[in-house]
Amino acid sequence: VDRGYNAIEICIILFSLKLLFGDWVFLNRGNHEAENINSRDGFQMECVAKYNSSVYQRFNEVFSTLPIATLVNESVLVVHGGIPYDEGVTLAHIENIDRFKLSPLEESVMEDMLWSDPGGPTLKGATQNSRGCGCVFGEDILDDFLEDNPGLRFIVRSHEMKASGFQEHFHGKLLTVFSASNYTYIHNNEGAVIELASDLQYDVHRFYATPREARDVKFSERYSPLARSVAAKLISRIAEQRLALLDFYAGVVYGGTFKKKSFFVKENQIIARTQWARGLREVLGLNIRFLFLQSLLGVPSVGVDGKRKGKFNYVTWLSRFAPHHTTVDMLAGGGGRARRRG
């Protein structure tokens, strides 16, 4: 959380996958899944803006239950930050940590594992991390940790942006895997995931967020392949009811209702976002908070007046859901329905 505009939605997706596939999905806690951090760095504001403070508190209660680390095949330790500053820490010690806290204790093993970073190849020992939490450790400290925990082959962690999304440290005994491409929307870095085989060999898969130039692709074409997603279902419903929505919004602008059809279509085709959301609820018959789905459904972020979340042209928006090779024209009057051209 704290590093994008849709942390709530991402958490909901991940938690849903965990509920559906509990034996296959494993989630670790990160350094921002702590109340003392996400209360200052954006997540609290997001929760309050979209829902309320109670929702924010419940998220942190869930975060406090997440494991600090995951052990894969008794050989690979997966953790967000790194290894602790303290000597002699074993997996048994980590397993017995009381992790059910809204925020980790200062200078604790738990805090170190959420915040620590590897140093350069020449670093010896461990030093205080400039982040203010955790440590920066050298290869000798990592070797001591692996020696104290026989059977561990290497450690996989995240916590640091990498230009290619991935980096090996200390002759492959530590891997950084950073999956957020274009981090905070400005860094233009690749994201990466690794596919780990039973013999502990791994493949690195890199990817990048949709480039800005690709966002001009027709919205309905870009999302229609996602047949099983909520987005695809909503887009399908909107496409099916596109003409009814045209009538509804014209009724809002010019008076009357789309059922009475007692209006004439004129040049003004501008509506407010609350009117847009009400039309979707009434025409589609779905009690959904559509205002939170504007970007998902292709509503322009800037209105015709140049203001963020200002009024926009509903005809232009609905044209995105028109069938292929179809243009949307409004009749000069009487009925206000769309005319299709093949």
Side-chain angles (χ1 to χ4, degrees):
V1 301
D2 293 332
R3 290 297 184 258
Y5 300 125
N6 302 106
I8 289 177
E9 292 79 6
I10 291 170
C11 286
I12 290 173
I13 290 171
L14 293 174
F15 293 162
S16 299
L17 291 172
K18 178 62 178 176
L19 289 171
L20 288 170
F21 309 106
D23 293 333
W24 298 92
V25 176
F26 301 92
L27 304 175
N28 282 349
R29 190 173 184 175
N31 62 322
H32 282 261
E33 283 68 58
E35 188 177 47
N36 63 337
I37 302 300
N38 60 44
S39 62
R40 75 178 191 197
D41 284 3
F43 185 60
Q44 182 180 39
M45 185 180 300
E46 179 184 351
C47 288
V48 172
K50 294 179 178 178
Y51 296 97
N52 52 52
S53 58
S54 177
V55 168
Y56 168 70
Q57 190 62 34
R58 293 303 297 273
F59 266 111
N60 274 304
E61 291 172 3
V62 175
F63 294 157
S64 71
T65 69
L66 295 176
I68 302 170
T70 298
L71 185 62
V72 180
N73 285 0
E74 304 293 328
S75 303
V76 179
L77 186 68
V78 183
V79 64
H80 179 74
I83 59 177
Y85 188 89
D86 297 350
E87 296 181 3
V89 176
T90 65
L91 296 182
H93 181 188
I94 295 170
E95 189 173 14
N96 290 323
I97 292 174
D98 179 14
R99 71 178 190 272
F100 298 96
K101 301 179 183 299
L102 294 177
S103 302
L105 298 177
E106 292 184 9
E107 299 184 352
S108 63
V109 170
M110 177 176 171
E111 184 183 67
D112 284 350
M113 296 187 71
L114 297 180
W115 283 90
S116 292
D117 297 301
T122 61
L123 176 67
K124 300 295 183 183
T127 62
Q128 180 66 40
N129 199 323
S130 61
R131 299 175 186 267
C133 300
C135 67
V136 177
F137 56 91
E139 184 174 8
D140 56 336
I141 301 299
L142 175 60
D143 288 339
D144 289 344
F145 182 81
L146 295 176
E147 185 177 339
D148 290 334
N149 293 278
L152 277 188
R153 296 273 297 278
F154 57 90
I155 295 174
V156 178
R157 45 89 64 175
S158 183
H159 196 44
E160 289 182 289
M161 185 204 74
K162 300 298 179 183
S164 64
F166 175 83
Q167 183 177 340
E168 284 189 356
H169 308 266
F170 308 139
H171 306 95
K173 290 175 286 190
L174 181 75
L175 311 179
T176 291
V177 182
F178 196 84
S179 60
S181 65
N182 195 23
Y183 182 51
T184 65
Y185 311 106
I186 60 173
H187 286 91
N188 295 318
N189 62 291
E190 290 183 303
V193 296
I194 64 170
E195 182 179 0
L196 186 66
S198 58
D199 61 359
L200 305 186
Q201 297 297 310
Y202 59 85
D203 292 318
V204 180
H205 303 278
R206 294 178 173 86
F207 56 89
Y208 190 78
T210 304
R212 290 187 178 276
E213 57 269 19
R215 296 177 189 177
D216 293 333
V217 175
K218 190 174 180 180
F219 179 81
S220 55
E221 292 177 355
R222 198 170 90 208
Y223 281 93
S224 58
L226 306 177
R228 296 182 181 179
S229 70
V230 174
K233 292 179 180 178
L234 285 176
I235 289 167
S236 178
R237 292 285 292 274
I238 292 170
E240 291 172 359
Q241 298 296 324
R242 185 173 57 86
L243 300 182
L245 285 165
L246 282 168
D247 279 351
F248 181 93
Y249 294 135
V252 169
V253 173
Y254 306 114
T257 67
F258 74 104
K259 292 181 179 179
K260 295 179 181 178
K261 299 183 177 63
S262 60
F263 52 82
F264 292 90
V265 177
K266 301 178 182 179
E267 292 181 358
N268 187 6
Q269 299 164 348
I270 309 302
I271 59 173
R273 289 163 197 263
T274 53
Q275 296 170 325
W276 167 81
R278 179 163 62 88
L280 289 174
R281 285 196 301 271
E282 295 192 19
V283 174
L284 302 184
L286 298 173
N287 187 22
I288 294 176
R289 303 176 76 174
F290 284 101
L291 287 174
F292 293 146
L293 303 176
Q294 294 179 62
S295 60
L296 179 68
L297 297 178
V299 176
S301 59
V302 178
V304 295
D305 56 359
K307 296 181 179 179
R308 186 172 180 270
K309 296 186 177 180
K311 294 183 178 182
F312 64 96
N313 188 305
Y314 67 86
V315 175
T316 300
W317 174 69
L318 281 169
S319 69
R320 301 184 176 200
F321 302 92
H324 194 50
H325 300 312
T326 299
T327 59
V328 177
D329 288 338
M330 301 304 293
L331 298 176
R337 297 193 61 89
R339 174 183 295 159
R340 296 188 179 186
R341 293 181 180 175

